[in-house]
Amino acid sequence: MARERYESYIGGLYRRNERFLIISAVIFFASMFIGYALSGLLEWVMGSVLDNMKRQVSQGELQLTTFSIFMNNLKVAFFLYGGGLIFGIVTVFFLFYNGVFIGYAAAQYQLVDFIVYTIPHGIFEIVGIIIAGAAGFKLAGVIVDILKGLRHIQPEMSRANQFSYLLNVYYDDFKESLVLLAIAIILLLIGAFIEANFTLTWANYVTGATTQTASENPLNSMFRVS
């Protein structure tokens, strides 16, 4: 019974937010394609970002531990979610920016190597980022609906009561945006743990690069805040 309720809730959560998830995924994957296809044109922008990341890793400024990777990705998730407060504009920007960065980075290496060194943790992290983006769009929807409701406030009634009513009406939607964010954070934590503890060993085994260390591998900590 509990399992059925859980599956029913997850299914309903997806159906109610399908459009936000699709929009988030389309923006992210389309920007990845742009970053990969136009990598030469983006060299002047993304080249310095990738070089700086390599420098931080090699010099130990960017530690490839579960905590540091998770905190980096968590900041991105919060920017994606908080961007919903200004109608999702920031959410779109960070989805696009990170998608372009990953696409550009992929173009700098053998595609097979890039996939091998990112797919174990990337599956969780990319899905987590897409869901965080959807949460941001959900929040933007709540903000828009409340603002629409404020346009119809009746002057003969208490404004405070009407505003409180609007908040109650859209409370469930707001709470659902937090549920999406929580799911994204869990996925990002799983991805960070895999990236810090298993990805490199697995990828070195697959590629035969048994001597490569984490500091020598630039294909880590995919998402960037700036």
Side-chain angles (χ1 to χ4, degrees):
M1 184 66 69
R3 180 179 178 182
E4 290 177 357
R5 285 200 300 269
Y6 171 78
E7 291 177 348
S8 176
Y9 177 77
I10 293 299
L13 184 68
Y14 172 79
R15 288 190 295 273
R16 290 188 296 273
N17 298 283
E18 183 177 14
R19 59 174 174 157
F20 299 127
L21 290 164
I22 291 174
I23 291 171
S24 184
V26 167
I27 293 172
F28 185 78
F29 287 119
S31 61
M32 278 183 64
F33 176 79
I34 291 171
Y36 187 84
L38 303 180
S39 60
L41 297 176
L42 296 170
E43 176 68 31
W44 67 280
V45 178
M46 291 298 170
S48 60
V49 177
L50 184 59
D51 289 342
N52 184 56
M53 187 187 76
K54 292 179 184 178
R55 181 189 59 78
Q56 289 178 321
V57 173
S58 64
Q59 295 181 1
E61 296 177 22
L62 179 59
Q63 298 293 324
L64 299 179
T65 63
T66 299
F67 178 77
S68 63
I69 294 169
F70 173 65
M71 291 305 296
N72 177 76
N73 292 344
L74 183 63
K75 286 189 290 185
V76 176
F78 279 141
F79 272 103
L80 288 168
Y81 180 72
L85 293 173
I86 50 176
F87 312 110
I89 295 172
V90 174
T91 304
V92 171
F93 171 78
F94 276 98
L95 281 171
F96 185 81
Y97 176 84
N98 280 280
V100 168
F101 175 73
I102 294 174
Y104 169 82
Q108 307 311 304
Y109 305 95
Q110 292 293 328
L111 186 57
V112 172
D113 286 346
F114 185 86
I115 293 173
V116 168
Y117 278 95
T118 57
I119 198 168
H121 58 275
I123 291 173
F124 294 95
E125 292 182 349
I126 288 175
V127 173
I129 289 297
I130 289 172
I131 293 176
F137 291 134
K138 179 79 170 184
L139 179 61
V142 171
I143 299 298
V144 169
D145 287 339
I146 290 175
L147 291 176
K148 286 181 178 179
L150 290 175
R151 293 170 54 191
H152 301 289
I153 282 182
Q154 303 299 317
E156 66 274 10
M157 298 175 62
S158 168
R159 292 179 179 271
N161 288 341
Q162 292 181 73
F163 184 66
S164 177
Y165 170 77
L166 286 173
L167 292 179
N168 287 330
V169 167
Y170 297 109
Y171 172 73
D172 286 340
D173 286 337
F174 171 68
K175 184 170 66 175
E176 200 158 87
S177 75
L178 291 176
V179 171
L180 289 171
L181 178 62
I183 293 172
I185 290 172
I186 292 171
L187 290 171
L188 292 174
L189 178 59
I190 294 171
F193 179 78
I194 293 173
E195 181 175 358
N197 297 281
F198 297 106
T199 293
L200 192 62
T201 301
W202 178 82
N204 283 342
Y205 173 78
V206 171
T207 61
T210 56
T211 60
Q212 189 174 51
T213 65
S215 63
E216 295 168 331
N217 174 32
L219 308 181
N220 286 282
S221 195
M222 293 191 293
F223 301 105
R224 316 300 294 167
V225 174
S226 61

